[in-house]
Structure formats: C-alpha cells, structure tokens
Amino acid sequence: MAFITPIRGLRYNPRLVPDLAEVVTPPYDVIDEAAQERYYRRNPYNVIRLEYGKIYPGDTDADNRYTRAGRDFARWRKDSVLIREDKPALYIYEQEFALGNRSLTRRGFFCGVRLSPYSEGQVLPHEETLPKAKADRLQLLRACNANFSPIFGLYADPVIEITGIFEPLIAKAPDIDFRDEAGQGHRLWVVADPDPINRVITKMAKLSIFIADGHHRYETALAYAQEHNCPGPHNNVMMVLVNLYDPGLVILPTHRLAKTPPDFDPAALAALLEPEFIVTPFAGPAEGFFAKLKELGHHSFGLYAGPGHLYFLTVRPDLDLASVMPKEKSEAWRNLDVAILHQLIIEKHLGIGADARTREGKVKFTQEETGAFQLVDSGEFGCAFFLNPTGVEEIVAVAEAGEKMPQKSTYFYPKLITGLVINPLDL
C-alpha cells in the first residue's frame, strides 16, 4: 500500500564540513530562540539557516527567513557545500542513545514516500495539526523546493523482514559516523544497489505507514504537490521509516500543566473526580510516585496540585467509557489515556476545551517531571497531570480507525536529526 522510492539526496561535503556535529540540529519545532542563536554561531553552514532561519525587524516580502533560506541553499549547492548523490539511494540510519542506564539503538532508513491523502490509507496520521505551523512550512517549501528534515514514519513488520535485508549491508563501515552535542551516535549507510532497494520497495508496498512525527510537514508537502498538479519529484516527501517492532523504538509520555482559577481547591477537585476515578493520595518521594504510576499502568494518572496534594487517579473498573466519552469516537480513541484525561478531567472539571488547550495557552505540554512540579509550586500553573506513555498498539488502532489522537499524545525519543540527508525536489 505504501509506495516508497530511493532518492538522490544531498549531503554535506566532508572536505568543507569535516565535522557534521557542527552543522546538524534537532527538528525545528523543538528549537527555541537561544538554541537557534547557538546553531547560527556554531558554523556558517549549519542547517539552521535553511530549516529555521531568523526573523529580523526589517524583513520584507523580498528578504525574509524563507527567501534567505532559498538563497543560501542555492549558493551551498553551487559551491559544493552540499553534494548530490550520484545515484538514487536508500540510506540506512542508526541512532544510538541513552535512556536511563540503558544504551539503545534505533534503526530506520531514509527514502522518498509517494504523497497521498490520508483517506487512501497508504499514509495514516495519529495527531491533529494547526494551520499556523503548516503555513510556515509551506512558505519554506515554496522558497527552497526541498525537504530539509525527514518525517518520522512507522511501519509494522513483526517478522523483521525489511531490517533483515539491511543486515549484510551494515557489515561494512558506515558512510557517516559521528556523535552530536547530546552525545547521541549517528551512523548512515548509503545503499545504491538496485537489488536490496527493489526488495525493500516490494515489501513496503504491502504495508501502511503511520506518521510518528511530522504531521504538519506531511500535510504541507501534500498541499505543495497539489499546487504543482503534475508528475514530478514534489509528489514524494522524504521520510525515515522505522519498524514498530524495532527494539530501539521508544515512546515517552507528554504530561500536562493546567491553568486554574484563583479560587481553585485541589481537595474539591479530587472529590469531584471520585464518581469516575479511584483517587489515592500519595505522600512518598517523587521517585516512588512515578514508579507506582508506571506500575498502575493503563487508565491511571498522576495529579499534583501543590504541596500536600499529590494523587493517583485510576479509572474505576466498572466505568462504562462508551457512556461518558464522545459517542462519535471509536472504542480505540475512547480508551486512550490522553483522551480520558482531556474529556473527563481537563474539560469536564477545569473547563479547558480543545481551543483553550491549543490556542490560549491554558495547557502546557512537557516531558519534564521535576520541572512540572516546580511550575506548580511557583504558581504559574495550578496543577500538573502525569501520564504513562501511549502504546504502539494504541497508535495503530486509532490510525486504522481513521481518527487522530489529541495533540501531543506521543513523544518519540530521540528526535530525528536534521541535516544528514536533504531531499531536493528538482530533477
């Protein structure tokens, strides 16, 4: 069902850029202003100038972050800072990273994926998107005609056939091997041999792709292809595809911090939740709190509303979710922890609906546990809700039901790096 293709990617010229750690960045949507400035200063060829350029007070329609990216991109190609692959290729990509006291490796591969509407079922989303972010990415795509960062896609291959095709190919030394500023390892093998490429294409043609990260960029690329409305490279988008059954695939939870009114009473909220949740106070250390939350598992949450107000909230086993959750949603969606939290707590008892969560700043999303406690203690937020991670099976079930999860339902760790391979959309 998914149509993939090799791409003639652009990569940094090692003669001019011997240390890739100086020119790569995380994805643009996790880069704040301080990090942007740091990448600008690190190297004049840092990919930040293409992917997420600065905005200046004197910007005009003719000179702005998008037009500057287009000019830099054209100059870097002309000056051979970026060199195009001689032949179309797939790029095997390994990320080595630490999680707690464990060292893990996640393996995927860069390729082109033919763009198609979600309704066709070849590529499936799992999260909602916002118009503002798509407008930004569309302007960059129009100015540069290239994919600078890959979309993160998942496919289901429980017998590990596709990775098996790659095994003999990674016996040789990688074409790229370095560690980034966070200490994560990056290894890349260029595969231009038609035989393994065609075998992977054939296997992937039987599968669907689930978008893990990059929904805005996928929808933007689709809009850009529809603007051209003719055959060509712009009908494909660059992705890194990872097997759902890869041992290095990690999903972390994204917690919620909520604004509350001045007269907010944590004990009163706990009492209001009793009909639908088992509310259990917790008085131990934070480390024990999160270990217990993990042990409680599915349909359990943590609530912190200031000193002396730390609770576990567990959906009562006799609660009929179909009767209290939106009836137009699928069973898979109604069973999502994040959907239950939003519907039965944040909306029902705090009065914070979807618009207020996404546009009015009444909910902040974070992976930081200690930081969330501190933001509540400081008074910036009234309470914090802690979740367990969304499971892979839940992501697939919701996507296959043709629905999307609430925003920030998943956090795939680590993020893909930007700047290893660039996909130009010219011939």
Side-chain angles (χ1 to χ4, degrees):
M1 295 173 67
F3 297 93
I4 73 162
T5 182
I7 58 176
R8 286 188 61 209
L10 288 162
R11 293 188 289 128
Y12 278 100
N13 183 342
R15 289 192 304 103
L16 300 178
V17 183
D19 184 2
L20 281 174
E22 291 189 352
V23 294
V24 297
T25 71
Y28 77 98
D29 54 357
V30 299
I31 297 174
D32 60 19
E33 189 175 336
Q36 184 188 44
E37 179 64 30
R38 186 171 73 251
Y39 296 131
Y40 256 79
R41 294 185 179 188
R42 182 165 293 170
N43 189 296
Y45 298 133
N46 190 288
V47 74
I48 193 73
R49 287 174 167 78
L50 308 182
E51 176 74 343
Y52 194 49
K54 288 183 180 181
I55 297 174
Y56 297 106
D59 280 355
T60 65
D61 288 344
D63 185 21
N64 53 59
R65 71 192 315 181
Y66 310 110
T67 60
R68 288 189 290 271
R71 290 195 294 269
D72 284 342
F73 184 47
R75 187 175 70 253
W76 293 3
R77 294 181 70 177
K78 180 176 179 292
D79 294 345
S80 296
V81 175
L82 297 169
I83 302 176
R84 195 160 191 186
E85 218 69 63
D86 291 334
K87 299 177 181 178
L90 301 179
Y91 301 82
I92 305 170
Y93 176 36
E94 287 189 346
Q95 269 179 289
E96 181 187 333
F97 59 99
L99 187 67
N101 57 3
R102 294 185 297 158
S103 179
L104 299 173
T105 299
R106 185 178 67 199
R107 183 184 298 168
F109 64 96
F110 283 82
C111 64
V113 175
R114 192 176 77 182
L115 291 157
S116 63
Y118 295 144
S119 59
E120 293 183 5
Q122 297 166 18
V123 177
L124 297 171
H126 79 270
E127 284 190 349
E128 298 287 354
T129 55
L130 296 175
K132 184 178 179 181
K134 289 189 285 189
D136 163 62
R137 293 297 94 183
L138 185 56
Q139 288 192 72
L140 182 64
L141 199 47
R142 287 168 175 163
C144 300
N145 197 35
N147 307 138
F148 295 131
S149 60
I151 292 166
F152 188 170
L154 302 169
Y155 62 93
D157 179 19
V159 294
I160 324 293
E161 288 184 294
I162 291 171
T163 304
I165 295 170
F166 293 144
E167 282 296 339
L169 303 174
I170 62 173
K172 66 181 182 70
D175 295 276
I176 290 175
D177 188 355
F178 72 100
R179 289 194 174 273
D180 65 19
E181 62 180 349
Q184 294 176 4
H186 301 272
R187 295 182 289 273
L188 193 80
W189 290 262
V190 181
V191 180
D193 183 346
D195 177 61
I197 289 175
N198 290 333
R199 288 164 62 198
V200 172
I201 289 172
T202 300
K203 296 290 184 186
M204 286 300 306
K206 302 174 185 177
L207 306 175
S208 294
I209 292 170
F210 306 94
I211 298 177
D213 276 334
H215 291 79
H216 293 93
R217 281 170 284 155
Y218 185 84
E219 293 175 23
T220 297
L222 186 60
Y224 186 61
Q226 290 167 346
E227 286 182 355
H228 285 74
N229 194 31
C230 63
H234 39 263
N235 288 309
N236 295 312
V237 67
M238 182 172 64
M239 287 195 184
V240 167
L241 301 181
V242 174
N243 189 358
L244 283 162
Y245 299 90
D246 186 90
L249 183 65
V250 172
I251 307 174
L252 300 179
T254 298
H255 311 301
R256 271 68 174 154
L257 287 145
K259 299 278 189 180
T260 52
D263 60 350
F264 174 67
D265 181 353
L269 174 61
L272 287 171
L273 295 174
E274 286 280 2
E276 293 162 340
F277 296 87
I278 300 168
V279 180
T280 309
F282 181 83
E287 296 81 5
F289 176 77
F290 289 106
K292 180 64 176 178
L293 179 60
K294 182 178 180 180
E295 181 184 317
L296 289 170
H298 196 40
H299 289 181
S300 290
F301 311 92
L303 165 62
Y304 179 65
H309 296 288
L310 184 58
Y311 307 91
F312 293 115
L313 313 174
T314 300
V315 174
R316 292 190 176 276
D318 57 349
L319 180 67
D320 179 14
L321 286 173
S323 68
V324 294
M325 295 289 283
K327 292 180 173 52
E328 71 276 10
K329 296 292 188 179
S330 67
E331 182 180 0
W333 191 95
R334 292 195 298 262
N335 272 283
L336 289 171
D337 281 357
V338 66
I340 292 169
L341 173 63
H342 284 184
Q343 295 289 319
L344 301 188
I345 301 179
I346 293 178
E347 290 194 14
K348 183 175 181 179
H349 295 294
L350 297 182
I352 302 175
D355 280 348
R357 289 197 300 272
T358 57
R359 293 182 176 86
E360 297 176 21
K362 292 188 177 180
V363 171
K364 177 182 174 66
F365 305 97
T366 182
Q367 285 78 43
E368 292 291 331
E369 296 165 349
T370 301
F373 276 88
Q374 293 170 345
L375 286 170
V376 173
D377 289 341
S378 72
E380 186 173 345
F381 290 89
C383 57
F385 296 98
F386 300 98
L387 297 93
N388 285 304
T390 303
V392 165
E393 298 81 3
E394 295 176 280
I395 296 169
V396 173
V398 171
E400 289 183 338
E403 293 178 325
K404 297 177 182 178
M405 294 181 180
Q407 270 204 312
K408 307 297 182 183
S409 297
T410 57
Y411 186 88
F412 288 88
Y413 181 82
K415 296 289 187 179
L416 297 173
I417 206 84
T418 295
L420 280 186
V421 180
I422 291 171
N423 182 36
L425 298 177
D426 49 24
L427 296 176

